[in-house]
PDB file of all heavy atoms in Angstrom:
ATOM      1  N   TYR U  24       3.397  -8.405  15.076  1.00 94.00           N
ATOM      2  CA  TYR U  24       2.169  -9.231  15.097  1.00 94.00           C
ATOM      3  C   TYR U  24       2.287 -10.299  13.956  1.00 94.00           C
ATOM      4  O   TYR U  24       1.399 -11.216  13.881  1.00 94.00           O
ATOM      5  CB  TYR U  24       0.957  -8.460  15.190  1.00 94.00           C
ATOM      6  CG  TYR U  24       0.560  -7.741  13.843  1.00 94.00           C
ATOM      7  CD1 TYR U  24      -0.418  -8.312  13.040  1.00 94.00           C
ATOM      8  CD2 TYR U  24       1.208  -6.665  13.363  1.00 94.00           C
ATOM      9  CE1 TYR U  24      -0.816  -7.708  11.843  1.00 94.00           C
ATOM     10  CE2 TYR U  24       0.878  -6.103  12.200  1.00 94.00           C
ATOM     11  CZ  TYR U  24      -0.105  -6.611  11.431  1.00 94.00           C
ATOM     12  OH  TYR U  24      -0.421  -6.043  10.245  1.00 94.00           O
ATOM     13  N   ILE U  25       3.108 -10.121  13.047  1.00 95.00           N
ATOM     14  CA  ILE U  25       3.398 -11.120  11.963  1.00 95.00           C
ATOM     15  C   ILE U  25       4.796 -11.626  12.102  1.00 95.00           C
ATOM     16  O   ILE U  25       5.804 -10.845  11.886  1.00 95.00           O
ATOM     17  CB  ILE U  25       3.218 -10.492  10.501  1.00 95.00           C
ATOM     18  CG1 ILE U  25       1.835  -9.862  10.376  1.00 95.00           C
ATOM     19  CG2 ILE U  25       3.493 -11.563   9.384  1.00 95.00           C
ATOM     20  CD1 ILE U  25       1.618  -9.141   9.093  1.00 95.00           C
ATOM     21  N   GLN U  60       2.937  -5.473   2.051  1.00 98.00           N
ATOM     22  CA  GLN U  60       1.764  -5.353   2.953  1.00 98.00           C
ATOM     23  C   GLN U  60       0.640  -4.518   2.372  1.00 98.00           C
ATOM     24  O   GLN U  60       0.305  -4.691   1.267  1.00 98.00           O
ATOM     25  CB  GLN U  60       2.280  -4.970   4.394  1.00 98.00           C
ATOM     26  CG  GLN U  60       3.060  -6.184   4.945  1.00 98.00           C
ATOM     27  CD  GLN U  60       2.381  -7.482   5.144  1.00 98.00           C
ATOM     28  OE1 GLN U  60       1.171  -7.430   5.566  1.00 98.00           O
ATOM     29  NE2 GLN U  60       2.939  -8.572   4.851  1.00 98.00           N
ATOM     30  N   SER U  61       0.200  -3.480   3.172  1.00 98.00           N
ATOM     31  CA  SER U  61      -0.947  -2.758   2.765  1.00 98.00           C
ATOM     32  C   SER U  61      -0.801  -1.877   1.510  1.00 98.00           C
ATOM     33  O   SER U  61      -1.919  -1.418   1.046  1.00 98.00           O
ATOM     34  CB  SER U  61      -1.434  -1.783   3.937  1.00 98.00           C
ATOM     35  OG  SER U  61      -1.996  -2.679   4.941  1.00 98.00           O
ATOM     36  N   LYS U  64      -2.966  -2.772  -1.161  1.00 98.00           N
ATOM     37  CA  LYS U  64      -4.396  -2.377  -1.169  1.00 98.00           C
ATOM     38  C   LYS U  64      -4.722  -1.474  -2.326  1.00 98.00           C
ATOM     39  O   LYS U  64      -5.774  -1.284  -2.732  1.00 98.00           O
ATOM     40  CB  LYS U  64      -4.816  -1.834   0.171  1.00 98.00           C
ATOM     41  CG  LYS U  64      -4.866  -2.879   1.318  1.00 98.00           C
ATOM     42  CD  LYS U  64      -4.959  -2.257   2.658  1.00 98.00           C
ATOM     43  CE  LYS U  64      -4.911  -3.349   3.678  1.00 98.00           C
ATOM     44  NZ  LYS U  64      -4.953  -2.830   5.090  1.00 98.00           N
ATOM     45  N   PHE U  92      -5.739   0.414  11.436  1.00 94.00           N
ATOM     46  CA  PHE U  92      -5.975  -0.336  10.308  1.00 94.00           C
ATOM     47  C   PHE U  92      -6.767  -1.506  10.322  1.00 94.00           C
ATOM     48  O   PHE U  92      -7.390  -2.074   9.429  1.00 94.00           O
ATOM     49  CB  PHE U  92      -4.651  -0.516   9.402  1.00 94.00           C
ATOM     50  CG  PHE U  92      -3.641  -1.358  10.136  1.00 94.00           C
ATOM     51  CD1 PHE U  92      -3.741  -2.695  10.113  1.00 94.00           C
ATOM     52  CD2 PHE U  92      -2.638  -0.844  10.855  1.00 94.00           C
ATOM     53  CE1 PHE U  92      -2.745  -3.508  10.710  1.00 94.00           C
ATOM     54  CE2 PHE U  92      -1.670  -1.523  11.534  1.00 94.00           C
ATOM     55  CZ  PHE U  92      -1.737  -2.953  11.407  1.00 94.00           C
ATOM     56  N   ASN U 111      -8.080  -2.661   6.698  1.00 98.00           N
ATOM     57  CA  ASN U 111      -8.140  -4.067   6.337  1.00 98.00           C
ATOM     58  C   ASN U 111      -9.540  -4.566   5.899  1.00 98.00           C
ATOM     59  O   ASN U 111      -9.624  -5.287   4.905  1.00 98.00           O
ATOM     60  CB  ASN U 111      -7.638  -4.877   7.552  1.00 98.00           C
ATOM     61  CG  ASN U 111      -6.247  -4.739   7.875  1.00 98.00           C
ATOM     62  OD1 ASN U 111      -5.501  -3.958   7.307  1.00 98.00           O
ATOM     63  ND2 ASN U 111      -5.690  -5.580   8.796  1.00 98.00           N
ATOM     64  N   GLU U 155       1.281 -14.861   8.438  1.00 97.00           N
ATOM     65  CA  GLU U 155       0.171 -14.047   8.724  1.00 97.00           C
ATOM     66  C   GLU U 155      -1.061 -14.834   9.045  1.00 97.00           C
ATOM     67  O   GLU U 155      -1.836 -14.542   9.869  1.00 97.00           O
ATOM     68  CB  GLU U 155       0.021 -12.976   7.637  1.00 97.00           C
ATOM     69  CG  GLU U 155      -1.030 -11.935   8.140  1.00 97.00           C
ATOM     70  CD  GLU U 155      -1.203 -10.670   7.365  1.00 97.00           C
ATOM     71  OE1 GLU U 155      -0.584 -10.565   6.316  1.00 97.00           O
ATOM     72  OE2 GLU U 155      -1.870  -9.793   7.823  1.00 97.00           O
ATOM     73  N   ASN U 162      -8.131 -10.329  11.418  1.00 98.00           N
ATOM     74  CA  ASN U 162      -8.628 -10.352  10.013  1.00 98.00           C
ATOM     75  C   ASN U 162      -9.709 -11.331   9.785  1.00 98.00           C
ATOM     76  O   ASN U 162     -10.649 -11.104   9.051  1.00 98.00           O
ATOM     77  CB  ASN U 162      -7.423 -10.492   8.997  1.00 98.00           C
ATOM     78  CG  ASN U 162      -6.642  -9.255   8.898  1.00 98.00           C
ATOM     79  OD1 ASN U 162      -7.143  -8.142   8.782  1.00 98.00           O
ATOM     80  ND2 ASN U 162      -5.346  -9.443   8.812  1.00 98.00           N
ATOM     81  N   TYR U 186      -5.936 -12.560   0.349  1.00 98.00           N
ATOM     82  CA  TYR U 186      -5.557 -11.171   0.955  1.00 98.00           C
ATOM     83  C   TYR U 186      -4.062 -11.252   1.536  1.00 98.00           C
ATOM     84  O   TYR U 186      -3.321 -10.432   1.317  1.00 98.00           O
ATOM     85  CB  TYR U 186      -6.545 -10.804   2.022  1.00 98.00           C
ATOM     86  CG  TYR U 186      -6.181  -9.699   2.900  1.00 98.00           C
ATOM     87  CD1 TYR U 186      -6.337  -8.353   2.469  1.00 98.00           C
ATOM     88  CD2 TYR U 186      -5.693  -9.800   4.196  1.00 98.00           C
ATOM     89  CE1 TYR U 186      -5.966  -7.276   3.318  1.00 98.00           C
ATOM     90  CE2 TYR U 186      -5.341  -8.789   4.976  1.00 98.00           C
ATOM     91  CZ  TYR U 186      -5.474  -7.520   4.594  1.00 98.00           C
ATOM     92  OH  TYR U 186      -5.073  -6.458   5.396  1.00 98.00           O
ATOM     93  N   PHE U 187      -3.801 -12.376   2.325  1.00 98.00           N
ATOM     94  CA  PHE U 187      -2.537 -12.492   2.829  1.00 98.00           C
ATOM     95  C   PHE U 187      -1.392 -12.554   1.761  1.00 98.00           C
ATOM     96  O   PHE U 187      -0.376 -12.091   1.941  1.00 98.00           O
ATOM     97  CB  PHE U 187      -2.405 -13.663   3.882  1.00 98.00           C
ATOM     98  CG  PHE U 187      -3.297 -13.438   5.015  1.00 98.00           C
ATOM     99  CD1 PHE U 187      -3.959 -14.521   5.618  1.00 98.00           C
ATOM    100  CD2 PHE U 187      -3.486 -12.278   5.630  1.00 98.00           C
ATOM    101  CE1 PHE U 187      -4.802 -14.360   6.656  1.00 98.00           C
ATOM    102  CE2 PHE U 187      -4.300 -12.064   6.757  1.00 98.00           C
ATOM    103  CZ  PHE U 187      -5.015 -13.097   7.217  1.00 98.00           C
ATOM    104  N   CYS U 190      -0.755  -9.137   0.219  1.00 98.00           N
ATOM    105  CA  CYS U 190       0.051  -8.377   1.249  1.00 98.00           C
ATOM    106  C   CYS U 190       1.474  -8.869   1.243  1.00 98.00           C
ATOM    107  O   CYS U 190       2.399  -8.030   1.595  1.00 98.00           O
ATOM    108  CB  CYS U 190      -0.619  -8.516   2.616  1.00 98.00           C
ATOM    109  SG  CYS U 190      -2.126  -7.625   2.877  1.00 98.00           S
ATOM    110  N   TYR U 238      -4.023   5.706   7.498  1.00 91.00           N
ATOM    111  CA  TYR U 238      -4.894   5.275   8.681  1.00 91.00           C
ATOM    112  C   TYR U 238      -5.036   6.535   9.651  1.00 91.00           C
ATOM    113  O   TYR U 238      -5.236   7.643   9.232  1.00 91.00           O
ATOM    114  CB  TYR U 238      -4.269   4.090   9.401  1.00 91.00           C
ATOM    115  CG  TYR U 238      -4.045   2.984   8.439  1.00 91.00           C
ATOM    116  CD1 TYR U 238      -2.641   2.682   8.038  1.00 91.00           C
ATOM    117  CD2 TYR U 238      -5.067   2.384   7.743  1.00 91.00           C
ATOM    118  CE1 TYR U 238      -2.474   1.709   7.118  1.00 91.00           C
ATOM    119  CE2 TYR U 238      -4.801   1.385   6.767  1.00 91.00           C
ATOM    120  CZ  TYR U 238      -3.495   1.111   6.432  1.00 91.00           C
ATOM    121  OH  TYR U 238      -3.343   0.121   5.500  1.00 91.00           O
ATOM    122  N   SER U 254       0.932   3.316   2.883  1.00 98.00           N
ATOM    123  CA  SER U 254       1.912   2.682   3.700  1.00 98.00           C
ATOM    124  C   SER U 254       1.648   1.196   3.891  1.00 98.00           C
ATOM    125  O   SER U 254       0.524   0.777   3.549  1.00 98.00           O
ATOM    126  CB  SER U 254       1.931   3.346   5.055  1.00 98.00           C
ATOM    127  OG  SER U 254       0.698   3.072   5.756  1.00 98.00           O
ATOM    128  N   GLY U 255       2.642   0.460   4.339  1.00 98.00           N
ATOM    129  CA  GLY U 255       2.382  -0.942   4.691  1.00 98.00           C
ATOM    130  C   GLY U 255       3.259  -1.199   5.884  1.00 98.00           C
ATOM    131  O   GLY U 255       4.295  -0.626   6.170  1.00 98.00           O
ATOM    132  N   VAL U 256       2.832  -2.268   6.785  1.00 98.00           N
ATOM    133  CA  VAL U 256       3.530  -2.581   7.952  1.00 98.00           C
ATOM    134  C   VAL U 256       4.884  -3.230   7.700  1.00 98.00           C
ATOM    135  O   VAL U 256       5.647  -3.441   8.682  1.00 98.00           O
ATOM    136  CB  VAL U 256       2.715  -3.499   8.991  1.00 98.00           C
ATOM    137  CG1 VAL U 256       1.593  -2.649   9.633  1.00 98.00           C
ATOM    138  CG2 VAL U 256       2.287  -4.750   8.344  1.00 98.00           C
ATOM    139  N   GLY U 281       1.614   2.210  12.806  1.00 96.00           N
ATOM    140  CA  GLY U 281       1.994   1.185  11.915  1.00 96.00           C
ATOM    141  C   GLY U 281       2.540   1.690  10.614  1.00 96.00           C
ATOM    142  O   GLY U 281       2.584   0.882   9.627  1.00 96.00           O
ATOM    143  N   ASN U 282       2.924   2.943  10.562  1.00 97.00           N
ATOM    144  CA  ASN U 282       3.616   3.483   9.332  1.00 97.00           C
ATOM    145  C   ASN U 282       5.059   3.599   9.607  1.00 97.00           C
ATOM    146  O   ASN U 282       5.453   3.929  10.720  1.00 97.00           O
ATOM    147  CB  ASN U 282       2.981   4.814   9.056  1.00 97.00           C
ATOM    148  CG  ASN U 282       1.502   4.719   8.843  1.00 97.00           C
ATOM    149  OD1 ASN U 282       0.979   3.857   8.204  1.00 97.00           O
ATOM    150  ND2 ASN U 282       0.739   5.698   9.507  1.00 97.00           N
TER     151      ASN U 282
HETATM  152  O1  DON Y 401      -3.699  -7.349   7.458  1.00 59.12           O
HETATM  153  C1  DON Y 401      -2.740  -6.924   7.954  1.00 59.12           C
HETATM  154  O2  DON Y 401      -2.687  -6.743   9.175  1.00 59.12           O
HETATM  155  C2  DON Y 401      -1.462  -6.699   7.191  1.00 59.12           C
HETATM  156  N1  DON Y 401      -1.348  -7.764   6.145  1.00 59.12           N
HETATM  157  C3  DON Y 401      -1.395  -5.493   6.429  1.00 59.12           C
HETATM  158  C4  DON Y 401      -1.532  -4.193   7.447  1.00 59.12           C
HETATM  159  C5  DON Y 401      -0.780  -3.106   6.966  1.00 59.12           C
HETATM  160  O3  DON Y 401       0.265  -3.139   6.197  1.00 59.12           O
HETATM  161  C6  DON Y 401      -1.147  -1.736   7.577  1.00 59.12           C
HETATM  162  N2  DON Y 401      -0.297  -0.751   7.117  1.00 59.12           N
HETATM  163  N3  DON Y 401       0.342   0.133   7.627  1.00 59.12           N
END
Side-chain angles (χ1 to χ4, degrees):
Y24 73 104
I25 302 174
Q60 293 297 321
S61 287
K64 293 170 181 172
F92 60 83
N111 290 7
E155 189 167 8
N162 283 320
Y186 169 81
F187 296 142
C190 288
Y238 311 108
S254 64
V256 287
N282 304 316

